[in-house]
Amino acid sequence: MTMNEKDKNEMLGAILAEGETYQCKLWGTIMADAKTYAAIGGISLIAGSGAAALGALSNAYCYLGMTENNINFVIVDSVNVSKIKNSISIPKSSITKAEVKGGLLPGRKVVLLHFGKTKMKISLMNNAIGSDIQNQKENVEKFCQAVALI
């Protein structure tokens, strides 16, 4: 099983708020501890199995989509990526600071979203090797440009 276009569109579509559309949809890796997941879950509008249920995961694969008002995350199981572990919708208005940095690897960006004293780190790769994810590079650029304006 690999991250794929069909799952990305279906999973993100299922949590899209009425009247909103996605400006970009992509896949990434959230790098956070249980405390951060719990804090993020506390400000989210959508609760799947609960952010705290993710436990002490350090990395979680996800599909993410940005709308005019929210950043939606569908966190998938690391072994079976067709299984949803959690869905989180974070209002852009709750983000107090956002940073975009180049990663250590070429084609990698690291996005830091700050929520007061809590921060969430997202690793984004320009390519989608081994999957049929479409327009990943373009959507990483769109996401990073939009985040930089927050």
Side-chain angles (χ1 to χ4, degrees), residues 72-144:
N72 294 337
F73 297 87
V74 176
I75 300 165
V76 297
D77 187 82
S78 59
V79 176
N80 180 358
V81 295
S82 65
K83 183 180 177 193
I84 297 172
K85 291 192 82 151
N86 199 7
S87 299
I88 302 169
S89 183
I90 299 175
K92 287 183 185 177
S93 60
S94 68
I95 299 169
T96 54
K97 181 180 174 187
E99 302 172 75
V100 177
K101 300 178 179 186
L104 298 174
L105 302 171
R108 179 174 179 241
K109 299 278 189 200
V110 175
V111 175
L112 295 171
L113 301 178
H114 297 260
F115 311 94
K117 293 182 180 181
T118 303
K119 70 179 172 185
M120 176 182 190
K121 189 175 183 181
I122 308 165
S123 174
L124 304 172
M125 295 295 289
N126 279 344
N127 61 43
I129 293 172
S131 78
D132 72 345
I133 299 285
Q134 298 169 14
N135 304 315
Q136 176 73 8
K137 182 176 182 177
E138 294 85 350
N139 283 314
V140 167
E141 288 303 315
K142 284 181 189 175
F143 183 80
C144 290

Side-chain angles (χ1 to χ4, degrees), residues 20-77:
E20 287 200 313
T21 57
Y22 284 113
Q23 298 167 337
C24 60
K25 295 185 282 187
L26 55 154
W27 75 272
T29 305
I30 299 173
M31 298 179 283
D33 58 19
K35 179 179 157 190
T36 301
Y37 281 119
I40 293 165
I43 62 169
S44 70
L45 299 175
I46 298 169
S49 56
L54 290 167
L57 289 177
S58 56
N59 294 333
Y61 294 118
C62 68
Y63 295 110
L64 58 145
M66 182 179 285
T67 70
E68 185 74 29
N69 300 312
N70 301 299
I71 302 175
N72 294 337
F73 297 87
V74 176
I75 300 165
V76 297
D77 187 82

